[in-house]
Amino acid sequence: MASFGFRGHDHTACVADRMAAVEAQCAEKKLQLTPIRRRVLELLLEHHKALGAYDILKALEAEGRPAQPPVAYRALDFLTTHGFAHKIERLNAFVACSDPGHGHAPTFLICRDCNTVAEEPGTLSREALAETANLAGFQIEKAVVEAEGVCPLCRDEP
Amino acid sequence: MASFGFRGHDHTACVADRMAAVEAQCAEKKLQLTPIRRRVLELLLEHHKALGAYDILKALEAEGRPAQPPVAYRALDFLTTHGFAHKIERLNAFVACSDPGHGHAPTFLICRDCNTVAEEPGTLSREALAETANLAGFQIEKAVVEAEGVCPLCRDEP
DNA sequence: TTGCCGGGTGTTACACTATATCAATTTTTG
DNA sequence: CAAAAATTGATATAGTGTAACACCCGGCAA
Ligand SMILES: [Zn+2]
Ligand SMILES: [Zn+2]
Ligand SMILES: [Zn+2]
Ligand SMILES: [Zn+2]
């Protein structure tokens, strides 16, 4: 369940499940999951990898709904603000969150060949981080781990 | 010694020490610490915070040595490749490494007010990371933690 | 009803970040 | 010294991200 990003799975069901979960959360929190926001999230889920804002714009244009940069960035801002997606800083790209509602220290395993991103919870120990922060007198608000390497698929098929 | 980025210290000596250490490493490894590379590293050390490539270009111009973007990016590439500096992805900016020769999983404590960056070793447990990677069948080559928050100076003086 | 107010969208224009390319120069090596 | 490799100079361009303003459409108060 953790690393589905790198294993075969029923992708259609995967996307549907996530969309349903996000819809439920939006209903509960009174958030507006507008058509554009919804479509951008679907694109992230369908591709199942990190997409840049301009990749999303290309996709929207390809399906007959051309849009300008602010449209993509606004939708992505909504999604990331509410925890439905994450920005991968190393790639200047975005992925759907694999576990909305998780804690605030996800670990991203980023394949340097295919840009697939797997999100794993809890690599970063809360204690170690707190200890480091206390040592420095620093007040941590959020932390992420970005690990780069090679995913199983790219390792096996060069 | 770890978190000097957020505490008072003899900055002149700090810069001199680091430059000497880097010079020694370059001599040993037969790396060319050219004037530009040297000056860029000095700028990073002097400011003691994350600087963007264009900040560096502005600084170079201010001291009568104007340069074009590739100059800054090439120097920064040299410094990061050899471990003398790090890129902070969250800020699109660069900091001098506080401990050249460290392992490969540094933690950066990034102040969201003043952009000061402190580099701490070892927050990320090697075991936890390896375990996560094995679970996903993923081969990690490098990993960083970027933690955002408020540094002691900014917290005390609003 | 009417008018306001808020969030969301459409659009233009621009700012910031980074790289490709080729020529000129310096340094290293044989 | 001559050839090869590394570094720098300079121009142009690609990629990423925002500011600003007009428009629309919902709810809501006068
Ligand atoms: Zn997540
Ligand atoms: Zn891959
Ligand atoms: Zn370092
Ligand atoms: Zn600060």
Side-chain angles (χ1 to χ4, degrees):
Chain A
M1 148 239 294
S3 58
F4 71 100
F6 296 131
R7 301 187 193 290
H9 63 291
D10 181 343
H11 198 47
T12 307
C14 162
V15 172
D17 285 357
R18 302 289 193 74
M19 287 306 303
V22 170
E23 273 168 24
Q25 281 198 41
C26 285
E28 183 191 354
K29 297 180 186 168
K30 305 244 191 303
L31 301 175
Q32 296 183 237
L33 187 62
T34 63
I36 299 182
R37 292 170 177 175
R38 183 191 173 86
R39 186 68 196 118
V40 170
L41 179 55
E42 283 174 354
L43 286 169
L44 292 180
L45 286 169
E46 286 165 5
H47 284 80
H48 220 300
K49 59 189 282 193
L51 293 183
Y54 284 74
D55 294 329
I56 289 170
L57 292 172
K58 280 198 273 289
L60 290 176
E61 184 171 16
E63 57 193 52
R65 182 197 276 182
Q68 301 305 313
V71 172
Y73 282 103
R74 287 192 287 229
L76 290 166
D77 183 62
F78 169 86
L79 295 173
T80 54
T81 296
H82 297 97
F84 303 137
H86 298 288
K87 179 171 187 183
I88 309 298
E89 301 286 351
R90 174 171 215 73
L91 301 176
N92 294 320
F94 302 81
V95 289
C97 177
S98 64
D99 180 19
H102 59 77
H104 6 347
T107 293
F108 299 109
L109 303 176
I110 307 163
C111 178
R112 61 168 157 70
D113 282 349
C114 67
N115 275 13
T116 294
V117 175
E119 179 180 354
E120 304 285 341
T123 302
L124 200 54
S125 109
R126 221 80 200 104
E127 301 89 40
L129 207 54
E131 189 179 343
T132 297
N134 283 340
L135 194 66
F138 188 94
Q139 194 168 355
I140 292 179
E141 292 170 352
K142 74 178 157 181
V144 302
V145 182
E146 293 192 1
E148 183 180 308
V150 188
C151 78
L153 295 175
C154 288
R155 176 161 45 93
D156 296 343
E157 302 173 17
Chain B
M1 167 244 267
S3 59
F4 71 102
F6 296 132
R7 302 187 193 289
H9 64 290
D10 182 343
H11 197 49
T12 307
C14 162
V15 171
D17 285 356
R18 302 291 192 72
M19 287 305 303
V22 169
E23 274 169 22
Q25 281 199 41
C26 284
E28 182 190 355
K29 297 180 187 170
K30 307 238 190 305
L31 301 175
Q32 297 182 234
L33 188 61
T34 63
I36 299 181
R37 293 169 176 175
R38 184 191 173 85
R39 187 67 197 119
V40 170
L41 178 57
E42 283 173 355
L43 285 169
L44 292 180
L45 286 169
E46 286 166 6
H47 284 81
H48 220 301
K49 58 189 280 192
L51 293 183
Y54 285 75
D55 293 329
I56 289 170
L57 291 172
K58 279 199 273 287
L60 290 177
E61 184 170 17
E63 57 193 54
R65 181 197 277 182
Q68 301 306 313
V71 171
Y73 282 103
R74 287 192 287 231
L76 290 167
D77 183 62
F78 170 87
L79 294 173
T80 54
T81 296
H82 296 96
F84 304 137
H86 298 288
K87 178 171 186 183
I88 309 298
E89 301 286 351
R90 176 174 282 287
L91 301 175
N92 294 319
F94 302 81
V95 289
C97 178
S98 64
D99 180 21
H102 60 75
H104 6 351
T107 292
F108 299 108
L109 303 175
I110 308 163
C111 178
R112 61 169 157 71
D113 283 348
C114 66
N115 275 12
T116 294
V117 175
E119 180 181 353
E120 304 286 342
T123 301
L124 202 53
S125 110
R126 218 78 198 107
E127 301 89 40
L129 208 54
E131 188 178 344
T132 297
N134 284 340
L135 195 66
F138 188 93
Q139 195 169 354
I140 292 179
E141 293 170 352
K142 73 178 158 181
V144 302
V145 181
E146 292 192 2
E148 183 179 306
V150 188
C151 78
L153 295 175
C154 288
R155 176 160 45 92
D156 295 344
E157 302 174 15

